[in-house]
Amino acid sequence: MAHARISMYLPPDINPTQAAIAYGCRALPKLNEELQSEDLLTRQKALMALCDLMHDPEHVYVAIDTGCLESLKVLLKDNNDMVRIKTTEVLYIMATHNVGREGFLEHDVILALSSLLNDPQSACRKNLHLAFKHVALLPSGAQGIVNSGLIPSLVWKLQREEEEIQGLLLDTLAACLTEDATEALGSHVVPFLKQKLLSTNDDIRSKAARTLIAVSIPLEGKNQVWQHDVIPILVHLLKDRVEEVQANAAGALMYATVTTQGKYAALDTEAIHPLLSLLGSSLSKARLNATKALTMLAEAPEGRKFLQSRVPVFRVLEDDTSEAVRRAAQIAVKVIEWKP
Amino acid sequence: VASTLTDRTCSAMGTYTYTYTSRPRALPCQRRRYRDHLMQLAEEPVHHGNIMYDRRVVRGNTYALHTGPLPGQPDPIEIQRQQQAKRRALAKKRAQEQFRPRTPEPVEGRKHVDVQTEMYLEEIADRIIVDVECQTDAFLDRPPTPLFIPAKTGKDVATQILEGELFDFDLEVKPMLEVLVGKTIEQSLLEVMEEEELANLRASQYAYEELRNVELAEVQRLAEQEKRHREEKERRKRQQWEVVYKHSETAQKVAARVFAQRYLADLLPSVFDSLRDGGYFYDPVERDIEIGFLPWLMNEVDKTMEYSMVGRTVLDMLIREVVEKRLAAYEQRDDQPPAGKPKDELGESGRMTEPPVGYELQEQSTAQPQRPLPGRDSLQRTPDDGRYMESVLAQETKLMEEAEYEQTKIRKTSGTEVLQPRGDFQP
């Protein structure tokens, strides 16, 4: 007769921290019920299981359909840190899928998430900002974030948070500001971005420059950029080590120099030389932005005079690989050689 | 199991007897036969002690008990030594006995028990002649449980699979392997493709964003350019308009100025002329003379004239009186000598006519400056009279000369004065 002793080793599939996932279509409804249970351990295990399942977009769709979002919203206000961290992680994973984003917008999850902006747990905040970033990638998502009035608090947070989260915040802001920048301009985003441009972290600098691009699209933004003397810093950044930073700085300059004041501010800080050197960069974005910025500067008579001697450089660019760069170079040549 | 120590019964007396009561139970044997098993999985079968074999129970006669060691020698030590020797012997025996086969150990849950299986139970009562002490051995390791090999039951059946009878592993395994490997690779391919797709999406998003930024910048630049051009045009237009306006204004000003100049060109002379005509330009000395001196002079002249007039009238009156008196006297004399004084009459008439002539002369003299000479001539022509008349005449002429002198003086001054303004009118 065989031993009645059970093996010393646990079965290989069981993860004690996860709830058991029911088979097939019962998985998500059961997890939803478990999420609403009173027992802390059940909730946590259900959340862990949900995290794993949410990588599949079909499951995301089913989850939203069975109303998991409502229970998740309730769980966001839970006292236990672990629960909150896991909930935000689940929401972040859902936000990476378009279905999830749409669901967020329908169920007002953004507003519920915003209550966690001041959470003491940094992991929780990080997941929160990751979720926001992914939501902001969708234009209607960005619009949703703007509509819920989160921009001032996000801008304010830019000062306080640690570096990783600052990077995420900058991404979110860049996406949102391309939609609507008026609120942000009213909440001193330009001085904050100016500080971030001088940060030591390469990533932060490049993201801050990208956000500045978005900020300086509307006219009010351009005026503020000129008023706060950001243009000299941007010119300085054109000589930065990191190419991405250079490209983004050129882009920001491109927008800021549309106004006459911006043009003359840039000319005063000798922006033409670094921009010319950027024309030889390997990143096509950098070449493109530099060409456009030089076109802007060539509108001014002083700039035109200086650039007339440099027209051959632009001719070379007309044979560039990228279609956009070619077009930009042609336009630049046309502007430089224009006679009133 | 209740065991109570009762001393209640005898505590009153001060002494107590030991009593021990317990429910009848089978006593477990306290003796541990084996060393404690490190992994005591199942509870060992509880060994119950047999009272028959319990050392604590005194068996048999109690009156012939071995009370203790014989007095005299230190027996406890010797006894102990003996005991140890015995123990060693026993241990050796036991070690030897281990290799000897024995009856198999009882199965789990069972125990070997000596049982009298005859019909009639026999009381086993050993009279202990010799008391033997023994000591338990040192603990031994629990021997490992031997494998239980159950008795063979059933029939032995054998099969022989010959070569090629079953299946060909290589053939059969192929589809299964294919499925397994295929599924794995497919899954991994899917995942990789998904990642690649995401990366591509992100790259195209990036490129799109670039393009969008550039196009937006271009649009803004063109708009800005347009605005600037328009503003410039507006400014130029305004400038031109201002220029034209100024031009016209200046032309108007110039025209007005020229006209005014011409208009006022002869204003000045005419003004001066009219002013001069109005007598606004005057020599202050002249004016002073005119205003101050001449009236006074005229007054004085008037006075003087009046004096002379008065004098003349007085003289005339005198003369008249005289003449009237003379006339009267003459008339009286006429009554007497009628032809005495025709001269006097002449003289009188002359005298009477003289003053009016003198008057006339004066008047004439005042009226016409050139008359006095002819007046004088007339005076000189008419009087061919006597001496009286001549003296009167001389007086008269003297007076008249004085008056004439004065008059001429006056005339001269007034004439000159009148002559000057009238110089233009009198050719």
Side-chain angles (χ1 to χ4, degrees):
Chain A
M1 281 193 11
H3 270 266
R5 194 180 295 137
I6 307 170
S7 149
M8 297 289 297
Y9 304 103
L10 289 169
D13 280 340
I14 283 189
N15 185 352
T17 52
Q18 264 193 20
I21 301 179
Y23 184 75
C25 63
R26 279 295 305 159
L28 282 159
K30 179 137 195 306
L31 280 175
N32 196 6
E33 284 159 23
E34 281 180 9
L35 281 176
Q36 293 161 359
S37 92
E38 303 284 324
D39 181 30
L40 180 64
L41 194 59
T42 320
R43 289 207 295 268
Q44 286 179 344
K45 281 166 42 164
L47 276 172
M48 302 268 320
L50 206 59
C51 269
D52 276 345
L53 281 179
M54 287 294 112
H55 284 280
D56 187 356
E58 294 189 11
H59 286 146
V60 173
Y61 172 74
V62 174
I64 297 179
D65 221 20
T66 53
C68 277
L69 280 177
E70 301 296 326
S71 12
L72 285 171
K73 277 208 283 195
V74 170
L75 281 177
L76 278 174
K77 301 190 185 55
D78 197 279
N79 290 330
N80 186 290
D81 293 332
M82 186 65 192
V83 168
R84 283 204 304 273
I85 293 177
K86 276 291 155 195
T87 315
T88 45
E89 196 179 321
V90 166
L91 285 171
Y92 147 59
I93 298 176
M94 281 169 93
T96 52
H97 300 285
N98 198 26
V99 193
R101 291 195 279 260
E102 302 276 328
F104 276 22
L105 289 173
E106 272 175 23
H107 289 83
D108 278 332
V109 172
I110 301 177
L111 216 51
L113 274 176
S114 62
S115 61
L116 281 178
L117 270 175
N118 297 321
D119 194 276
Q121 287 288 325
S122 77
C124 187
R125 286 202 305 269
K126 181 158 168 264
N127 288 337
L128 172 75
H129 286 294
L130 274 168
F132 274 150
K133 174 184 156 185
H134 285 278
V135 170
L137 286 173
L138 188 66
S140 48
Q143 192 68 40
I145 292 185
V146 171
N147 287 342
S148 52
L150 278 178
I151 306 274
S153 30
L154 284 177
V155 172
W156 194 69
K157 280 279 166 199
L158 202 55
Q159 290 291 90
R160 309 292 161 126
E161 290 281 3
E162 33 189 72
E163 294 220 340
E164 242 184 75
I165 301 189
Q166 274 181 15
L168 296 170
L169 265 173
L170 284 170
D171 276 332
T172 320
L173 278 174
C176 292
L177 293 178
T178 44
E179 287 295 314
D180 182 11
T182 47
E183 260 190 55
L185 286 169
S187 42
H188 304 290
V189 72
V190 179
F192 290 159
L193 284 176
K194 190 174 152 187
Q195 280 177 9
K196 294 287 161 268
L197 280 176
L198 301 164
S199 132
T200 45
N201 188 333
D202 292 336
D203 209 26
I204 298 241
R205 278 207 303 271
S206 87
K207 289 191 186 175
R210 192 165 147 251
T211 318
L212 255 180
I213 292 181
V215 161
S216 42
I217 291 179
L219 184 61
E220 176 59 32
K222 290 194 241 277
N223 287 338
Q224 277 203 11
V225 163
W226 173 72
Q227 269 168 13
H228 290 272
D229 287 327
V230 186
I231 298 189
I233 303 183
L234 285 172
V235 173
H236 172 72
L237 276 180
L238 284 174
K239 306 176 205 126
D240 198 274
R241 303 172 275 125
V242 179
E243 288 214 347
E244 184 69 27
V245 176
Q246 288 174 345
N248 284 338
L253 265 178
M254 160 177 95
Y255 276 114
T257 47
V258 171
T259 57
T260 323
Q261 312 154 323
K263 278 205 245 289
Y264 280 103
L267 284 171
D268 286 337
T269 47
E270 293 288 324
I272 301 195
H273 286 287
L275 282 171
L276 281 171
S277 59
L278 254 185
L279 284 178
S281 153
S282 53
L283 204 56
S284 81
K285 178 166 151 180
R287 289 200 295 272
L288 198 57
N289 289 348
T291 319
K292 271 278 160 272
L294 281 169
T295 317
M296 302 292 168
L297 288 177
E299 293 273 331
E302 289 88 0
R304 196 178 302 133
K305 207 166 48 182
F306 189 85
L307 283 171
Q308 262 169 355
S309 54
R310 302 275 196 272
V311 171
V313 178
F314 287 101
R315 294 258 179 246
V316 165
L317 266 183
E318 277 180 26
D319 301 322
D320 197 86
T321 45
S322 157
E323 162 73 34
V325 175
R326 282 203 291 269
R327 230 188 3 237
Q330 283 171 358
I331 296 177
V333 169
K334 205 166 64 175
V335 167
I336 295 178
E337 294 181 343
W338 178 75
K339 296 263 181 289
Chain B
V1 175
S3 58
T4 53
L5 191 65
T6 54
D7 57 351
R8 271 184 281 117
T9 49
C10 313
S11 59
M13 286 191 263
T15 60
Y16 61 90
T17 53
Y18 168 78
T19 51
Y20 170 79
T21 54
S22 78
R23 214 171 259 162
R25 59 180 168 93
L27 292 172
C29 175
Q30 298 297 330
R31 205 178 66 148
R32 285 197 304 223
R33 298 217 163 97
Y34 305 107
R35 202 180 292 166
D36 273 348
H37 197 49
L38 288 168
M39 287 173 21
Q40 198 135 20
L41 286 177
E43 218 186 12
E44 299 260 7
V46 181
H47 300 276
H48 288 280
N50 195 341
I51 204 171
M52 302 291 278
Y53 296 93
D54 202 351
R55 279 184 295 120
R56 297 173 285 177
V57 178
V58 175
R59 323 220 43 223
N61 296 333
T62 53
Y63 50 84
L65 277 174
H66 182 61
T67 45
L70 294 168
Q73 284 142 352
D75 276 329
I77 298 169
E78 191 144 26
I79 286 171
Q80 244 187 349
R81 253 189 250 127
Q82 279 173 8
Q83 281 171 4
Q84 276 180 6
K86 275 174 206 154
R87 240 181 275 144
R88 266 183 240 121
L90 263 170
K92 266 190 229 148
K93 229 181 166 184
R94 270 190 90 90
Q96 280 177 357
E97 270 187 4
Q98 271 208 357
F99 294 105
R100 242 188 278 153
R102 310 162 149 210
T103 55
E105 290 286 322
V107 179
E108 269 197 355
R110 300 194 182 183
K111 191 164 71 75
H112 290 308
V113 168
D114 284 348
V115 167
Q116 294 184 356
T117 50
E118 284 115 351
M119 235 176 15
Y120 299 106
L121 295 171
E122 196 182 293
E123 188 190 77
I124 301 173
D126 284 336
R127 206 169 283 178
I128 298 176
I129 313 290
V130 176
D131 278 313
V132 176
E133 293 269 347
C134 67
Q135 176 68 35
T136 54
D137 298 325
F139 276 114
L140 294 172
D141 279 332
R142 182 180 199 269
T145 315
L147 284 171
F148 173 65
I149 299 162
K152 186 163 145 262
T153 52
K155 271 174 33 174
D156 274 334
V157 178
T159 49
Q160 174 71 33
I161 298 175
L162 299 166
E163 186 81 35
E165 260 187 15
L166 257 183
F167 56 85
D168 186 5
F169 179 74
D170 290 325
L171 270 174
E172 298 290 329
V173 85
K174 203 148 148 243
M176 272 204 271
L177 249 185
E178 268 177 25
V179 166
L180 276 173
V181 171
K183 264 213 169 310
T184 321
I185 293 190
E186 196 182 318
Q187 181 73 15
S188 49
L189 258 177
L190 273 173
E191 286 181 13
V192 167
M193 272 202 321
E194 196 182 287
E195 278 180 22
E196 207 179 294
E197 194 182 333
L198 274 175
N200 274 348
L201 275 174
R202 218 162 277 151
S204 68
Q205 251 184 1
Y206 193 67
Y208 168 73
E209 200 183 315
E210 251 181 62
L211 267 176
R212 190 177 81 126
N213 279 345
V214 164
E215 289 300 317
L216 201 57
E218 182 64 26
V219 162
Q220 286 186 345
R221 181 190 72 88
L222 283 172
E224 179 68 28
Q225 197 188 46
E226 193 56 45
K227 196 171 82 154
R228 268 207 334 266
H229 285 185
R230 200 166 18 101
E231 270 177 22
E232 189 65 32
K233 261 188 250 178
E234 286 291 312
R235 241 180 288 143
R236 296 256 173 100
K237 262 203 291 200
R238 229 179 309 135
Q239 248 179 10
Q240 277 298 102
W241 193 79
E242 265 174 32
V243 161
V244 165
Y245 179 69
K246 269 212 183 109
H247 202 68
S248 68
E249 214 182 309
T250 330
Q252 272 183 6
K253 267 193 198 166
V254 165
R257 190 168 172 197
V258 166
F259 174 72
Q261 256 183 357
R262 196 166 319 145
Y263 182 71
L264 297 174
D266 47 331
L267 182 68
L268 211 56
S270 63
V271 160
F272 276 126
D273 284 342
S274 51
L275 276 179
R276 203 177 296 129
D277 287 343
Y280 283 95
F281 297 119
Y282 56 87
D283 190 11
V285 175
E286 249 188 65
R287 179 67 170 241
D288 193 39
I289 292 177
E290 269 182 33
I291 288 179
F293 177 65
L294 281 177
W296 171 81
L297 190 64
M298 294 301 284
N299 276 341
E300 293 300 310
V301 164
D302 260 345
K303 267 193 237 167
T304 321
M305 300 276 286
E306 263 190 56
Y307 288 156
S308 66
M309 295 286 283
V310 164
R312 275 202 203 132
T313 38
V314 165
L315 189 62
D316 280 346
M317 276 165 58
L318 273 172
I319 293 173
R320 197 189 187 97
E321 262 189 64
V322 165
V323 167
E324 280 177 356
K325 276 185 186 159
R326 290 237 168 146
L327 193 62
Y330 277 136
E331 281 172 356
Q332 287 172 355
R333 286 182 64 199
D334 267 341
D335 290 332
Q336 303 153 8
K341 298 227 176 147
K343 275 194 197 164
D344 294 301
E345 285 178 34
L346 276 166
E348 284 168 26
S349 62
R351 265 185 256 135
M352 275 175 45
T353 52
E354 294 295 347
V357 173
Y359 269 115
E360 278 176 51
L361 277 170
Q362 282 178 6
E363 282 169 30
Q364 284 170 4
S365 68
T366 53
Q368 287 179 6
Q370 290 173 2
R371 284 284 174 93
L373 287 170
R376 220 180 282 144
D377 291 339
S378 67
L379 263 172
Q380 286 169 357
R381 256 186 269 122
T382 48
D384 293 332
D385 303 323
R387 274 186 294 147
Y388 187 68
M389 288 295 293
E390 282 175 39
S391 64
V392 170
L393 272 168
Q395 283 179 5
E396 296 265 17
T397 49
K398 235 201 257 175
L399 274 172
M400 276 170 51
E401 277 173 17
E402 281 178 24
E404 273 179 27
Y405 179 68
E406 286 178 348
Q407 280 169 18
T408 48
K409 223 182 27 178
I410 294 163
R411 230 182 286 130
K412 269 185 195 153
T413 52
S414 65
T416 48
E417 181 250 316
V418 171
L419 261 169
Q420 273 182 359
R422 286 197 190 165
D424 297 344
F425 296 112
Q426 286 196 354

